[in-house]
Each structure stands twice: as structure tokens, then as C-alpha cells.
């Protein structure tokens, strides 16, 4: 293996474990890693693992708040002591995780030695880089992406090494597949890197544990930033022509967030398609990154989303050609903390260059556009990003279009999503449900394809809007036997 040219589907699955689930490692050993398996049933699987929950936030920056971690402090040019202290905190957290997993055993000594060598190696590299960049011929900004990748890789190698160690201690023949590029003489192309490191593994007798981060010529973080582990997972599945791709999360893919609508009111979706997965990804509720899904979709590999702690439940199967038996809403999802950037300029009328230039500016600032709408003389973009960057966008737009009125509004997006939502009156039913809950709709979007309907509401109305739409479009329909979920 791998044998990507072989059109015959293999016996194995490729399975990814998310960071929050990895933090409950002892439970994972009792469910998906070993559980009640023995002998040959332990094998014919490839696991791609993320860093333990919260570890990448400490290494880079907090994904939601933007609070700088080691990378953030290093990149911002803060005093050496600052990023050194952040790296010390990472080391302490990783050693604490080792202690929790392995106690005072010899396995813990191995785990401590492994990760300490990686952390101190990174520290030495960053110290030397800072010293080099004190000379005018070298600029720190030219090397920051490599530093970011090196730091991110530490989290994945830590969890992967520990997983192999724990499995070996339990009598499972596990093998570490370290794609981090540590001590590699030069970066290889993405596919070549995977092929070389997976070569010679007998899946019938070995259990590969693969780091979610892959160091390669293309630079995964340059394109996917923190979505790199899904790209590694997807590419391994397609290269090896896997029987199935599986993502293990700490929850089921359900009709809504149980923390909002209540556990008794939701059901697992059961079946859906990649189109729905794309809509969820756009809202930040990634079933899988759209570009990672592309390879699976094109090769006809089905993706299963499972709850890592309910191994006997079949989860939700995502395939290319699935469509619900009857038109219906499958899931109510959304996103709060969205900033609506509204640009009004009467000179915009009939001039498409405004929209092109505004989108180009947002792209250059690396601001994610969740949705957008327009009328004759205004454009509104619903954005995800730090307030600092979005404020900069407001300033730059104001400078470029002096006659424009530029405003920011804090809003939330609530979406009804389904593989086929061509239901007569669904828009009216949604608006009526929100009105009955005393929720003011700021904007409403529905495309001709009718796989998603988005309501823009005030941020404070987000959870009530989710509950109202779930009750009207899913719970009521469930009692009428029109629910899509399995």
C-alpha cells in the first residue's frame, strides 16, 4: 500500500479522531481503538489523529477568541520571554497529559522524552531564527508560515506518539506514521510524502496511527490553515482507495445542537449528502472541509460521521447521490458572532466592479465570507474573522470609496438545510415561526437550488431562533412522519 491505481475497493477504512475526542483518550481505548475487538478485528484501519483538545490553541492562537499562543506571540514580535513562557506552558500541559495517561510507568518516561525533544528542538530553531533576523538581510515574515507549521505539528505528533505507545502497551501492533517532517532533509510533494510513509505497512497485522499534520512542498497550512488534518485524512483515503472514510466526533451529526434545543428533541440525521456537508462547513460546523470532501466524492468513497463514544451506533452516512425520500429539512444549524459589513453607495448602481473590488479586498485580508446579499446600491457581507481585521476592512473601504456609508452590525445566521427542501410554503412557515417567537428577521436568503435557507437575526436572538425553526420545521414534521433523519 498505497495502491491508488487499483480500482478495487480495499478492505480497510481510514478514520479520523478529532481533538476533543482525543482528550478523552481512556474512553477511546474502550470504544473505537480497542473496545471488544481482538485478533484480526483490530486491524484493517488507519487512524489519523488530531492534537489533544486545546493544544493547538496554545501552540498557535485560540481559534475563537484569537488570544495568541506561542506562534501569535512570536509572530507579533513580542519579547522573547513572552513566547518562551507560552512554550513552557505548552510543555507543562503536554507533560500533564502524559502523566494522566501513563502514571509513573516507563511508558510515561518515553512519552516525556519524545515530546520534550520536539519542544526544545522547536525552541532552539525559533531562537536561532530570531537571532538571524536581527540582520537586515533576513526578514522574520519570510519564515513565519514554516514556524506556524512546525508548531502545529508538535500537537499532532504528541497525540499520535502517545496513542501508539498506549496501544503497544495493550498488546496491539500499532505503528507511528510521523508526517511532521521532523529531521526530513527536504519537503516532498503531498502525495509522495504520504505514499513514502505508508509504504510497507501490512494493514492486516499493523494499526497505523498517522499525524494529522503533513509537512509537504505545497504547504497545507498556506491553503487550509487549521483544516490540514482533514486534508491528510481525505488524501490517505483516496490514495489507498479505502472502503469507507470515518470521522469520530464527541457528538452525533444531529438535527440541531442538543445544547440549544434539548437532547430529547433531536435525532441523528442518519443519511445525507456531500452538498449538505458543504453547507454545514460554510457555517463553521464542519462535517468535513469541502476541499477534503472533493476527493472522497469524486472517488465514490462514502463518509461516515460517528460519535466516538457510542461505537455501536451507525452514525450518519454521507454520500454523493443521496437525496431524502421526501422533500424536507434535515438540520437546523447556524453561527453566532457574525459581523455584517454593509456598504451603501449610490454610485454602485449598475457597476459590478464594486462587488469585485470589495471581495478582492476581503480576500487579501483573509476574512471569511459566510454569505452576502445586495440590492441596487448596497452590498452586505456576513463575515467571520477577528474584530481587528474587520475594522481594518472598514477603514480601507472607507478610504477607497469616500462617498460610501460603511457600517458593521453584530448578527447571527440560522440555517435550515436539507438535501431536498423543495417544500411548498417552507419560507412562509420559517418566517411565521420566527415571528411567533418575537424574533425580528434582518435578512433572508434562499437559493434556487433549495438546499439551504438562511435567516439573519440579531445576535441575542440566535438560540431562540434555532429552537423556533427546529420546532416548526423538524419537530412538527417528525410527528407528521415527514422527518428526514434516521
Amino acid at each position: 500500500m498505497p495502491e491508488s491505481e487499483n480500482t478495487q475497493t480495499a478492505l480497510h477504512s481510514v478514520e479520523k479522531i478529532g481533538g476533543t475526542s482525543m482528550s478523552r483518550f481512556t474512553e477511546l481505548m474502550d470504544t473505537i481503538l480497542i473496545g471488544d475487538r481482538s485478533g484480526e478485528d483490530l486491524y484493517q484501519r488507519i487512524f489519523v489523529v488530531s492534537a489533544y483538545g486545546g493544544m493547538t490553541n496554545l501552540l498557535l492562537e485560540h481559534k475563537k477568541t484569537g488570544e495568541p499562543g506561542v506562534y501569535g506571540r512570536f509572530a507579533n514580535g513580542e519579547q522573547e520571554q513572552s513566547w518562551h513562557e507560552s512554550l513552557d506552558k505548552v510543555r507543562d500541559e503536554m507533560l500533564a497529559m502524559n502523566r494522566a495517561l501513563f502514571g509513573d510507568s516507563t511508558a510515561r518516561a518515553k512519552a516525556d522524552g519524545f515530546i520534550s525533544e520536539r519542544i526544545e528542538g522547536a525552541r532552539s530553531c525559533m531562537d536561532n531564527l530570531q537571532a538571524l533576523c536581527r540582520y537586515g538581510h533576513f526578514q522574520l515574515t519570510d519564515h513565519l508560515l514554516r514556524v506556524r507549521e512546525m508548531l502545529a505539528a508538535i500537537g499532532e505528533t504528541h497525540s499520535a506518539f502517545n496513542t501508539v505507545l498506549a496501544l503497544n502497551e495493550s498488546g496491539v501492533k500499532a505503528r507511528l506514521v510521523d508526517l511532521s517532517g521532523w529531521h526530513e532533509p527536504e519537503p516532498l510533494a503531498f502525495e509522495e510524502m504520504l505514499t513514502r510513509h505508508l509504504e510497507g505497512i501490512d494493514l492486516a497485522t499493523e494499526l497505523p496511527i498517522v499525524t494529522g499534520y503533513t509537512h509537504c512542498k505545497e504547504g497545507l497550512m498556506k491553503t487550509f490553515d487549521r483544516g490540514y488534518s482533514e486534508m491528510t485524512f481525505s488524501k490517505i483515503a483516496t490514495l489507498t482507495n479505502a472502503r469507507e472514510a470515518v470521522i469520530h466526533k464527541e457528538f452525533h451529526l444531529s438535527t440541531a445542537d442538543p445544547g440549544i434545543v434539548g437532547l430529547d428533541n433531536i435525532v441523528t440525521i442518519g443519511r445525507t449528502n456531500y452538498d449538505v456537508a458543504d453547507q454545514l462547513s460554510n457555517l463553521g460546523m464542519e462535517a468535513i472541509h469541502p476541499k477534503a470532501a472533493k476527493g472522497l466524492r469524486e472517488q465514490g468513497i462514502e463518509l461516515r460521521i460517528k460519535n466516538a463514544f457510542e461505537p455501536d451506533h451507525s452514525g450518519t452516512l454521507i454520500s454523493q447521490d443521496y437525496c431524502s425520500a421526501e422533500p424536507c429539512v434535515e438540520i437546523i444549524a447556524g453561527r453566532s458572532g457574525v459581523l455584517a459589513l454593509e456598504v451603501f453607495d449610490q454610485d454602485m448602481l449598475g457597476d459590478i466592479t464594486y462587488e469585485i473590488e470589495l471581495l478582492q479586498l476581503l480576500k487579501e485580508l483573509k476574512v471569511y465570507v459566510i454569505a452576502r446579499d445586495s440590492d441596487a446600491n448596497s452590498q452586505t457581507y456576513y463575515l467571520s474573522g477577528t474584530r481587528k481585521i474587520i475594522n481594518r476592512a472598514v477603514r480601507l473601504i472607507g478610504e477607497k470609496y469616500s462617498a460610501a456609508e460603511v457600517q458593521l452590525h453584530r448578527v447571527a445566521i440560522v440555517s435550515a438545510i436539507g438535501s431536498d427542501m423543495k417544500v411548498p410554503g417552507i419560507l412562509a412557515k420559517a418566517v411565521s415561526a420566527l415571528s411567533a417567537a418575537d424574533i425580528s428577521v434582518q435578512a433572508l436568503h434562499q437559493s434556487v437550488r433549495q438546499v439551504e435557507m438562511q435567516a439573519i437575526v440579531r445576535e441575542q436572538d440566535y438560540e431562540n431562533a434555532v429552537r423556533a425553526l427546529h420546532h416548526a420545521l423538524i419537530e412538527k414534521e417528525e410527528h407528521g412522519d415527514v422527518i428526514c433523519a434516521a
Side-chain angles (χ1 to χ4, degrees):
M1 70 162 300
E3 298 178 1
S4 56
E5 295 181 4
N6 183 1
T7 56
Q8 183 177 358
T9 303
L11 298 173
H12 71 278
S13 59
V14 176
E15 312 190 18
K16 178 182 175 292
I17 308 176
T20 307
S21 298
M22 285 298 295
S23 296
R24 296 167 62 180
F25 186 76
T26 303
E27 294 173 73
L28 290 181
M29 290 287 281
D30 294 332
T31 54
I32 60 174
L33 290 173
I34 298 180
D36 57 3
R37 298 174 185 82
S38 62
E40 62 184 20
D41 292 338
L42 288 161
Y43 304 102
Q44 293 294 356
R45 300 179 295 165
I46 300 173
F47 280 101
V48 177
V49 298
S50 296
Y52 297 115
M55 211 63 79
T56 307
N57 287 341
L58 294 176
L59 284 160
L60 303 179
E61 67 282 318
H62 197 286
K63 194 171 185 179
K64 292 184 177 178
T65 67
E67 181 183 354
V70 181
Y71 172 80
R73 297 189 187 284
F74 183 81
N76 291 335
E78 296 187 22
Q79 293 182 349
E80 287 183 32
Q81 182 183 355
S82 178
W83 69 261
H84 271 282
E85 288 172 353
S86 293
L87 192 57
D88 289 341
K89 183 178 179 181
V90 169
R91 180 198 60 208
D92 293 345
E93 290 288 333
M94 288 184 168
L95 294 179
M97 177 62 74
N98 293 353
R99 184 168 58 252
L101 293 179
F102 301 113
D104 294 323
S105 66
T106 54
R108 178 187 163 193
K110 291 179 184 176
D112 287 353
F114 175 84
I115 200 58
S116 295
E117 187 264 337
R118 293 292 173 103
I119 289 174
E120 294 313 312
R123 188 194 306 272
S124 176
C125 176
M126 292 163 70
D127 275 332
N128 291 336
L129 182 57
Q130 271 191 330
L132 181 68
C133 291
R134 292 192 182 103
Y135 297 91
H137 294 82
F138 302 94
Q139 301 300 314
L140 186 60
T141 51
D142 295 339
H143 305 282
L144 285 178
L145 182 59
R146 295 181 185 88
V147 172
R148 185 174 179 81
E149 292 187 341
M150 177 182 68
L151 288 169
I154 293 173
E156 266 77 14
T157 52
H158 176 226
S159 61
F161 183 87
N162 284 359
T163 302
V164 171
L165 200 56
L167 288 168
N168 288 343
E169 291 278 308
S170 299
V172 179
K173 190 180 178 184
R175 182 197 284 204
L176 175 65
V177 180
D178 185 357
L179 301 173
S180 68
W182 198 258
H183 296 318
E184 290 274 351
E186 60 180 355
L188 303 174
F190 186 31
E191 287 194 13
E192 186 183 356
M193 183 74 169
L194 295 176
T195 302
R196 181 172 296 187
H197 282 77
L198 291 170
E199 223 164 30
I201 297 177
D202 180 4
L203 292 178
T205 60
E206 291 181 284
L207 185 61
I209 307 297
V210 186
T211 58
Y213 170 76
T214 303
H215 179 62
C216 59
K217 280 182 181 177
E218 294 88 336
L220 290 187
M221 293 195 79
K222 183 164 58 178
T223 305
F224 306 105
D225 198 41
R226 288 169 69 162
Y228 51 80
S229 62
E230 290 185 356
M231 292 306 300
T232 298
F233 158 76
S234 170
K235 184 60 71 174
I236 290 175
T238 56
L239 277 176
T240 61
N241 204 26
R243 170 181 55 82
E244 185 175 75
V246 183
I247 294 180
H248 297 281
K249 293 182 173 287
E250 70 277 14
F251 47 76
H252 285 296
L253 188 58
S254 304
T255 52
D257 183 345
I260 295 177
V261 304
L263 197 59
D264 293 338
N265 296 319
I266 61 151
V267 293
T268 303
I269 292 174
R271 288 293 307 270
T272 192
N273 61 29
Y274 281 110
D275 196 352
V276 169
D278 288 347
Q279 312 309 319
L280 293 174
S281 175
N282 184 52
L283 291 168
M285 297 178 56
E286 291 192 356
I288 187 171
H289 193 288
K291 290 187 179 179
K294 181 183 177 184
L296 300 178
R297 188 172 64 234
E298 289 178 345
Q299 203 159 310
I301 298 174
E302 293 181 322
L303 171 67
R304 192 177 296 276
I305 309 293
K306 295 194 68 175
N307 184 327
F309 309 102
E310 294 184 23
D312 295 331
H313 196 293
S314 59
T316 295
L317 188 66
I318 300 173
S319 55
Q320 172 63 7
D321 54 1
Y322 172 80
C323 187
S324 55
E326 295 184 53
C328 63
V329 175
E330 296 174 21
I331 184 169
I332 304 297
R335 189 165 183 160
S336 60
V338 175
L339 286 169
L341 173 62
E342 182 184 46
V343 183
F344 165 73
D345 188 344
Q346 288 187 306
D347 290 338
M348 193 182 294
L349 181 63
D351 190 351
I352 197 172
T353 58
Y354 270 80
E355 183 173 9
I356 294 170
E357 290 172 355
L358 289 170
L359 284 171
Q360 184 59 37
L361 185 147
L362 294 172
K363 181 181 179 182
E364 288 171 1
L365 291 175
K366 297 183 178 178
V367 176
Y368 186 74
V369 180
I370 304 167
R372 62 183 185 269
D373 57 37
S374 63
D375 58 24
N377 50 24
S378 71
Q379 300 280 340
T380 304
Y381 301 92
Y382 301 93
L383 308 176
S384 171
T386 65
R387 188 62 186 251
K388 180 180 178 181
I389 293 295
I390 293 174
N391 283 342
R392 187 180 173 199
V394 170
R395 178 175 58 79
L396 291 173
I397 292 169
E399 290 173 357
K400 186 172 181 63
Y401 305 104
S402 57
E405 294 178 18
V406 186
Q407 297 185 65
L408 274 181
H409 311 276
R410 292 195 70 87
V411 299
I413 299 176
V414 182
S415 291
I417 303 170
S419 53
D420 178 4
M421 295 203 325
K422 293 173 181 158
V423 181
I426 189 171
L427 199 61
K429 187 183 289 187
V431 173
S432 296
L434 293 171
S435 177
D438 198 26
I439 295 167
S440 174
V441 178
Q442 309 297 299
L444 200 61
H445 306 146
Q446 185 178 32
S447 67
V448 174
R449 290 180 56 247
Q450 296 188 52
V451 294
E452 181 181 27
M453 176 180 61
Q454 292 184 341
I456 312 299
V457 300
R458 295 175 302 175
E459 188 173 37
Q460 61 265 37
D461 289 333
Y462 172 66
E463 292 194 358
N464 284 338
V466 171
R467 281 189 284 266
L469 289 183
H470 191 270
H471 179 72
L473 304 180
I474 293 182
E475 291 172 47
K476 280 188 175 180
E477 297 299 331
E478 179 181 7
H479 297 308
D481 296 325
V482 192
I483 191 168
C484 294

